[in-house]
Amino acid sequence: MGLSCGIVGLPNVGKSTIFNALSNAGAQVANYPFCTIDPNVGIVPVPDPRLKDISDLIHPDKITPNSLEILDIAGLVKGASQGEGLGNKFLSHIRQVDAILHVVRCFEDPDVAHVSGTVDPLRDIETIHTELALADLETLNKRIEKNEKLSKTGSKEAKEELEVLKILQAGLNQGKMIRNLSLSSAQKEILKELFLLTSKPVLYVANVLEGELATDSAFVLTVKDLAQKEGAQVVKICGKVEAELMALSQDERKEFLKELGISEPGLHQLIRAAYKLLNLRTFFTAGKQEVRAWTILAGMKAPQAAGVIHSDFEKGFIRAETYHYNDLMKYKTEVEIKAHGLLRLEGKDYEIQDGDILYFRFNV
């Protein structure tokens, strides 16, 4: 789908460590600010146990999971919107992504310097929020000035946009993030063109110590409380543990996770949460040659989903043969699914459901 998430946070909160574990891309990790200069990019497979379940029944030659693009963006500091640190350059990197993974330091460690001297998750979050909001206000102020001039010439479009711009400006001045404002569909369409930083959906990533994975520390609880007020989600993760897990065999990983009292790597939760944050859904194609997961936006219709596989599939779309993953798990074979009347032919207006297994009919 070409959608991406950017890992954002203050320097030394564990962004690059988490990114390395996610992508094995080898981003430099160091105990000083601004060691990440340009955003590292990683393509991360999306863990989905359904893919293995389907493959266990069909026995394909190849299995291909969904993937997600993750950018590791260098640490912001107070004053970034005014160019402090490596400020404006990094703000432009955030502008390019579709969602933000906001890594928050929720651990004490005298060996890892904090840019502000002490650990305070709420203060750190507020610093990032403020810098993004200030950058957005600068964007809005310039746009308002332009539209005020155009509206005086009688431009209806400029007047309509100006009304929306002032709503957004007022929200930011009241300390609200754009993503938390109640806007109409028409207002959201105008918003899309502005690429505002605080309009992007956010997932908070609480980076904790190894011994704090099983229970929530006071730091984590404060982040969860804030996230609940914002309608956001929190994933708790230990970057150090995730990095260690990547160096272990599958059997060793299982044993290590058991010792930690957790059922799966935090990265799996993080990737799935990021996938959901982007409003993505999964459908499958399943045959002897390949079982593959495909990414679509929620609400996408059958022809557009076919186009994700190949543009010719969308142009020549006729029908979609479909049944659901749950049907396959219950009846084990396509023959049995068909015998129970669960293999359907769907047309152009069919909205693809998460977990659909599809075969597209099309004209060449």
Side-chain angles (χ1 to χ4, degrees), residues 217-248:
S217 67
F219 289 148
V220 173
L221 290 173
T222 59
V223 175
K224 285 188 173 182
D225 182 58
L226 175 68
Q228 185 178 26
K229 292 174 183 175
E230 293 183 359
Q233 297 294 313
V234 179
V235 172
K236 185 170 62 174
I237 196 169
C238 175
K240 185 179 179 182
V241 165
E242 299 301 325
E244 291 173 357
L245 282 169
M246 295 305 297
L248 301 177

Side-chain angles (χ1 to χ4, degrees), residues 1 79-81 92 94 105 114 139 159 178 185 214 217 257-258 262 271 316 332 345 357 364:
M1 293 300 298
S81 60
S92 70
I94 299 170
R105 178 169 169 175
H114 190 289
T139 299
K159 288 181 180 179
I178 298 296
S185 298
S217 67
L257 290 170
K258 187 177 178 180
I262 54 178
I271 296 165
K332 308 305 179 187
L345 285 178
I357 299 174
V364 178

Side-chain angles (χ1 to χ4, degrees), residues 53-90:
D53 292 342
I54 296 169
S55 301
D56 286 345
L57 294 172
I58 293 178
H59 307 293
D61 297 331
K62 183 180 179 183
I63 301 172
T64 306
N66 274 323
S67 61
L68 191 64
E69 185 177 270
I70 305 287
L71 280 73
D72 176 29
I73 298 170
L76 289 169
V77 294
K78 187 175 182 179
S81 60
Q82 304 301 316
E84 289 296 323
L86 298 170
N88 289 325
K89 183 176 182 180
F90 299 148

Side-chain angles (χ1 to χ4, degrees), residues 14-28:
K15 299 184 311 301
S16 294
T17 300
I18 291 170
F19 174 81
N20 284 347
L22 276 168
S23 65
N24 276 331
Q28 183 186 5

Side-chain angles (χ1 to χ4, degrees), residues 164-239:
V164 178
L165 294 173
K166 289 189 174 180
I167 291 172
L168 302 178
Q169 182 191 53
L172 287 173
N173 282 327
Q174 293 167 13
K176 299 176 182 177
M177 299 293 101
I178 298 296
R179 59 180 170 271
N180 295 326
L181 299 179
S182 296
L183 301 172
S184 68
S185 298
Q187 290 169 336
K188 287 179 181 177
E189 284 301 311
I190 292 174
L191 175 62
K192 283 182 184 178
E193 301 173 5
L194 301 174
F195 299 100
L196 297 178
L197 304 172
T198 62
S199 69
K200 299 178 187 296
V202 168
L203 172 70
Y204 291 107
V205 184
N207 193 12
V208 303
L209 295 175
E210 179 179 323
E212 297 172 344
L213 283 169
T215 58
D216 291 342
S217 67
F219 289 148
V220 173
L221 290 173
T222 59
V223 175
K224 285 188 173 182
D225 182 58
L226 175 68
Q228 185 178 26
K229 292 174 183 175
E230 293 183 359
Q233 297 294 313
V234 179
V235 172
K236 185 170 62 174
I237 196 169
C238 175

